[in-house]
């Protein structure tokens, strides 16, 4: 009896699955017919090795994944296999996905037909668990509201204030290992120092209170002896862990909900409680802003400025955490990547140091103040950072979901140049990492680092390191300014920066943002007087 009952259930489930599949293909054929009638052509289809392409989920559980370069071995390899820049993928649950590395298509998605797309439920739900609602997890009017709140906070007056950055750079230098008798700091992984630096700077900018992880590590014998210090350290660890976990969950797409843990849930609570502490302080009617000394500018604190826009504590907390995620992680990644690139390319280091010394002098004999204007005037720094971001875009993979049936201008037909139709609900991905390395756009040396390619070259849609269109990154100048300042100080202080391993390619790590993998040791030589 039980056997017959189970058999009937299985038959019903099988019949339901067949029905869904038949309906999907019928609707897809009808959509294709309408598309062709409207002048669109089919995009190439990436072949599935297993039914519904389940191999693309199976690899996530493969232990070999840790040894693979996801961007090169999987993402870029698909484009090489397809020998085109736009293709469609058929996935599990009857979902489809279009991947494009065409600048014209990316411009259409991010700008020309901006209203046809949203972020989609996966990105919204995964990020909201720790960040709540904000500019990176909302669309439409909600997103416009949050962006309008933040836009004034990244004006030139705010991003040109480098006093705090300069102070924390000095702490970073003190924290580095001591130089030997010949002036060398030998074989040091700079990444932990840089991540602590950006955490300290960003928390001071956001909350008016730096967690001072660098100085506490420097004086480790005194750390951990107060409740406030313990809270600061817990927040730092929880923020880093939650970002790593978010990146892992995103790889599972619509199955992200299968990936969770108590540690992650606890990290989310710690991050939010830490932000709540400062939000409550800022909303306290007895809270007084720091009065600057005579003749000095008042210290800028983002949270204090947002209080004039809204007094909703949840909204304030969410906005601060969104800026924290964007600002701290991307700035740290770009700075780490820049230092590693310099260490592996002596000719680029010498060229950039010559420009820096020419513009700003040395650490011992400075000739020009490091300001927003003087940094912008040093074109060599801008060119170097643009080339770093071209080869290592911080948001290496991005996507949008179609809100309605729409089109992309190119990618279909035998010549791959005809418009293609995008179905409502379909996800469209655009990997900047692939587009930034296309040989037909950047030349046969597209995989090589050459900062001079940016001389007299303007930014276009083939370079989307900071996105584009209405959602273009608000903090791009803030990040570039901070990284430029630190690079100038490093190049003034050290006349040689060398990788211990000059032969191996730069090892990448992909989570929420792209950054270098750990353990990349660098030697630094202090410039003589």
């Amino acid at each position: 009896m039980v056997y017959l009952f189970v058999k009937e259930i299985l038959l019903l489930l099988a019949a339901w699955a067949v029905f869904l599949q038949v309906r999907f293909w019928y609707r897809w054929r009808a959509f294709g017919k309408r598309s062709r009638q409207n002048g669109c052509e089919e995009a190439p289809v990436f072949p599935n090795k297993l039914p519904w392409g389940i191999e693309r989920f199976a690899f996530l559980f493969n232990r070999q994944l840790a040894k693979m370069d996801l961007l090169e071995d999987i993402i870029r390899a698909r484009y090489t296999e397809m020998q085109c820049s736009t293709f469609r993928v058929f996935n599990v649950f009857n979902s489809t996905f279009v991947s494009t590395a065409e600048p014209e298509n990316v411009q259409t998605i991010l700008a020309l037909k901006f209203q046809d797309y949203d972020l989609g439920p996966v990105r919204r739900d995964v990020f909201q668990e720790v960040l709540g609602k904000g500019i990176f997890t909302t669309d439409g009017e909600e997103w416009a509201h949050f962006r309008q709140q933040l836009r004034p906070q990244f004006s030139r007056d705010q991003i040109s204030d480098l006093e705090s950055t300069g102070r924390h750079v000095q702490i970073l230098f003190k924290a580095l290992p001591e130089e030997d008798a010949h002036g060398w700091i030998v074989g040091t992984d700079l990444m932990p120092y840089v991540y602590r630096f950006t955490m300290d700077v960003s928390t001071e900018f956001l909350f008016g209170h730096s967690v001072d992880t660098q100085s506490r590590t420097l004086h480790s014998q005194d750390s951990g002896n107060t409740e406030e210090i313990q809270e600061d350290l817990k927040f730092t660890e929880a923020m880093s862990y939650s970002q790593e976990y978010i990146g892992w969950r995103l790889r599972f797409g619509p199955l992200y909900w299968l990936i969770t843990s108590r540690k992650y849930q606890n990290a989310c609570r710690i991050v939010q409680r830490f932000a709540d502490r400062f939000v409550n302080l800022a909303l306290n009617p007895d809270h007084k802003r720091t009065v600057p000394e005579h003749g000095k500018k008042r210290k800028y604190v983002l949270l204090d400025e947002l209080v004039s826009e809204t007094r909703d504590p949840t909204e304030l907390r969410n906005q601060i955490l969104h800026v924290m995620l964007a600002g701290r992680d991307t700035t740290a990644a770009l700075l780490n990547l820049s230092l590693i690139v310099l260490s592996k390319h002596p000719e680029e280091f010498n060229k950039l140091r010559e420009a820096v010394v020419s513009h700003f002098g040395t650490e011992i004999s400075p000739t020009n103040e490091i300001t927003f204007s003087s940094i912008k005037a040093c074109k060599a720094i801008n060119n170097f950072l643009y080339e770093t971001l071209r080869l290592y875009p911080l948001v290496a993979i991005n996507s949008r979901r179609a809100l309605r049936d729409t089109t992309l201008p190119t990618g279909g037909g035998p010549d791959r140049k005809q418009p293609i139709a995008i179905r409502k609900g379909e996800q469209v991905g655009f990997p900047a990492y692939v587009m930034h390395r296309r040989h037909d756009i950047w030349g046969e040396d597209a995989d090589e680092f050459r900062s001079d390619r940016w001389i007299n070259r303007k930014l276009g849609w083939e370079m989307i390191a900071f996105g584009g269109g209405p959602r273009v990154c608000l903090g791009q100048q803030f990040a570039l300014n901070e990284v430029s300042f630190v690079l100038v100080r490093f190049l003034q202080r050290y006349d040689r920066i060398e990788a211990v391993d000059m032969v191996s390619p730069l090892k990448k790590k992909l989570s929420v943002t792209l950054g270098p993998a750990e353990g990349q040791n660098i030697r630094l030589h202090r410039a003589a007087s």
Side-chain angles (χ1 to χ4, degrees):
M1 186 69 179
V2 174
Y3 169 77
L4 291 175
F5 178 74
V6 172
K7 185 178 179 180
E8 289 177 357
I9 293 295
L10 291 176
L11 285 172
L12 283 172
L13 289 174
W16 180 248
V18 170
F19 167 74
L20 290 178
Q21 191 65 46
V22 171
R23 186 179 67 172
F24 168 74
W25 285 113
Y26 174 78
R27 289 179 175 177
W28 186 258
R29 285 170 62 87
F31 175 75
K33 183 178 180 180
R34 292 196 307 272
S35 302
R36 288 189 292 273
Q37 290 173 348
N38 291 321
C40 293
E41 296 286 347
E42 293 288 341
V45 176
F46 186 80
N48 289 331
K49 297 177 182 178
L50 295 173
W52 306 292
I54 57 175
E55 71 272 10
R56 285 187 288 277
F57 287 94
F59 91 91
L60 292 169
F61 300 97
N62 190 333
R63 292 183 179 180
Q64 296 301 313
L65 179 63
K67 301 178 182 179
M68 297 174 69
D69 184 328
L70 181 66
L71 292 168
E72 283 290 341
D73 299 338
I74 297 176
I75 306 298
R76 197 178 181 196
R78 289 178 187 169
Y79 281 86
T80 302
E81 180 181 345
M82 293 298 293
Q83 296 186 334
C84 63
S85 296
T86 303
F87 55 86
R88 178 173 271 114
V89 180
F90 287 85
N91 278 329
V92 294
F93 308 123
N94 289 330
S95 64
T96 55
F97 180 89
V98 170
S99 190
T100 182
E102 282 288 354
E104 192 177 356
N105 286 344
V106 174
Q107 181 184 20
T108 300
I109 297 163
L110 296 181
L112 301 180
K113 293 189 176 181
F114 174 76
Q115 299 298 335
D116 285 356
Y117 297 90
D118 70 358
L119 299 177
V122 174
R123 173 169 162 178
R124 180 182 65 240
D125 295 345
V126 170
F127 277 89
Q128 278 190 10
E129 199 159 3
V130 61
L131 302 179
K133 290 186 175 182
I135 53 171
F136 298 124
T137 59
T138 54
D139 293 291
E141 292 183 4
E142 258 191 322
W143 164 79
H145 165 72
F146 292 132
R147 188 175 176 89
Q148 189 59 38
Q149 279 185 352
L150 289 176
R151 184 190 295 275
Q153 315 311 327
F154 290 93
S155 66
R156 177 166 173 170
D157 287 344
Q158 275 65 265
I159 65 174
S160 61
D161 184 3
L162 293 167
E163 185 273 331
S164 172
T165 304
R167 182 161 34 81
H168 286 289
V169 167
Q170 286 302 115
I171 298 172
L172 186 160
F173 287 150
K174 290 180 182 178
L176 290 174
E178 291 185 5
E179 300 151 10
D180 64 18
H182 302 287
W184 282 99
I185 295 176
V186 182
T188 300
D189 184 1
L190 295 178
M191 289 177 58
Y193 299 93
V194 170
Y195 276 114
R196 287 194 289 265
F197 163 79
T198 53
M199 177 63 80
D200 295 345
V201 173
S202 58
T203 49
E204 185 165 335
F205 171 73
L206 294 170
F207 304 121
H209 164 89
S210 173
V211 291
D212 287 332
T213 56
Q214 198 84 269
S215 58
R216 285 169 183 166
T217 302
L218 181 61
H219 305 291
S220 57
Q221 68 273 17
D222 300 323
S223 65
N225 54 3
T226 70
E227 184 177 345
E228 181 179 309
I229 289 175
Q230 285 294 318
E231 286 188 14
D232 289 352
L233 294 176
K234 285 180 181 178
F235 167 75
T236 302
E237 294 170 1
M239 192 71 193
S240 297
Y241 180 79
S242 61
Q243 287 176 238
E244 291 284 337
Y245 210 87
I246 285 172
W248 177 242
R249 296 183 89 197
L250 286 172
R251 293 182 189 178
F252 285 80
L255 298 179
Y256 73 90
W257 49 271
L258 292 173
I259 310 302
T260 189
S261 70
R262 286 187 179 180
K263 184 177 179 180
Y264 171 64
Q265 299 294 333
N266 189 47
C268 293
R269 287 191 290 270
I270 290 172
V271 167
Q272 291 171 359
R273 280 201 304 265
F274 184 87
D276 284 337
R277 171 178 138 204
F278 291 97
V279 167
N280 293 334
L281 180 64
L283 291 173
N284 189 329
D286 296 327
H287 171 61
K288 296 180 179 179
R289 297 184 180 183
T290 304
V291 179
E293 297 178 18
H294 181 69
K296 290 190 175 182
K297 186 179 178 181
R298 181 177 63 81
K299 180 180 177 180
Y300 181 85
V301 178
L302 178 63
L303 181 55
D304 287 343
E305 301 302 323
L306 285 177
V307 168
S308 62
E309 299 285 337
T310 178
R311 298 189 66 82
D312 182 330
T314 302
E315 191 170 309
L316 287 169
R317 179 192 71 196
N318 295 346
Q319 286 284 59
I320 288 294
L321 291 179
H322 277 252
V323 177
M324 166 69 78
L325 178 74
R328 180 256 176 169
D329 211 42
T330 54
T331 304
L334 177 55
L335 184 50
N336 274 316
L337 287 165
S338 298
L339 290 170
I340 293 171
V341 166
L342 286 173
S343 74
K344 286 181 172 289
H345 295 82
E347 70 288 352
E348 291 286 346
F349 172 82
N350 292 330
K351 182 168 52 180
L352 189 58
R353 187 169 194 271
E354 182 180 341
V356 164
V357 171
S358 175
H359 275 78
F360 303 101
T362 63
E363 181 183 49
I364 297 171
S365 303
T367 57
N368 193 11
E369 186 181 359
I370 310 173
T371 65
F372 177 82
S373 298
S374 62
I375 287 173
K376 297 300 289 183
C378 186
K379 299 298 183 183
I381 294 178
N382 296 321
N383 294 343
F384 174 81
L385 289 178
Y386 282 154
E387 183 69 350
T388 304
L389 287 166
R390 182 187 72 83
L391 283 176
Y392 308 103
L394 303 179
V395 182
I397 307 170
N398 209 338
S399 68
R400 294 289 188 270
R401 181 187 65 164
L403 290 171
R404 55 186 64 88
D405 289 350
T406 185
T407 61
L408 292 179
T410 186
D415 61 357
R416 308 293 190 256
K417 296 184 181 300
Q418 303 308 307
I420 64 172
I422 303 298
R423 188 181 178 187
K424 178 182 178 180
E426 193 167 27
Q427 204 78 11
V428 184
F430 41 97
Y433 183 86
V434 175
M435 189 166 70
H436 288 185
R437 290 170 178 253
R438 280 181 54 177
H439 289 201
D440 58 328
I441 294 177
W442 301 96
E444 290 304 312
D445 64 349
D447 288 295
E448 299 174 17
F449 192 100
R450 187 169 63 82
S451 61
D452 285 350
R453 77 173 76 244
W454 289 97
I455 295 176
N456 298 324
R457 181 171 190 143
K458 295 182 179 180
L459 287 173
W461 282 99
E462 70 279 1
M463 168 71 167
I464 53 167
F466 289 99
R471 291 192 94 116
V472 66
C473 177
L474 278 173
Q476 60 176 297
Q477 286 303 323
F478 181 86
L480 290 172
N481 207 35
E482 185 175 318
V483 172
S484 298
F485 180 92
V486 180
L487 286 180
V488 169
R489 296 290 288 111
F490 261 88
L491 291 165
Q492 285 182 313
R493 187 179 180 90
Y494 302 105
D495 58 8
R496 291 174 72 181
I497 298 179
E498 300 174 353
V500 172
D501 181 358
M502 296 290 288
V503 179
S504 300
L506 190 155
K507 299 175 184 177
K508 303 181 290 294
K509 180 180 181 180
L510 184 63
S511 57
V512 175
T513 55
L514 174 65
E518 297 176 359
Q520 308 203 35
N521 294 331
I522 293 175
R523 295 163 16 105
L524 303 103
H525 184 263
R526 185 74 173 269
S529 59

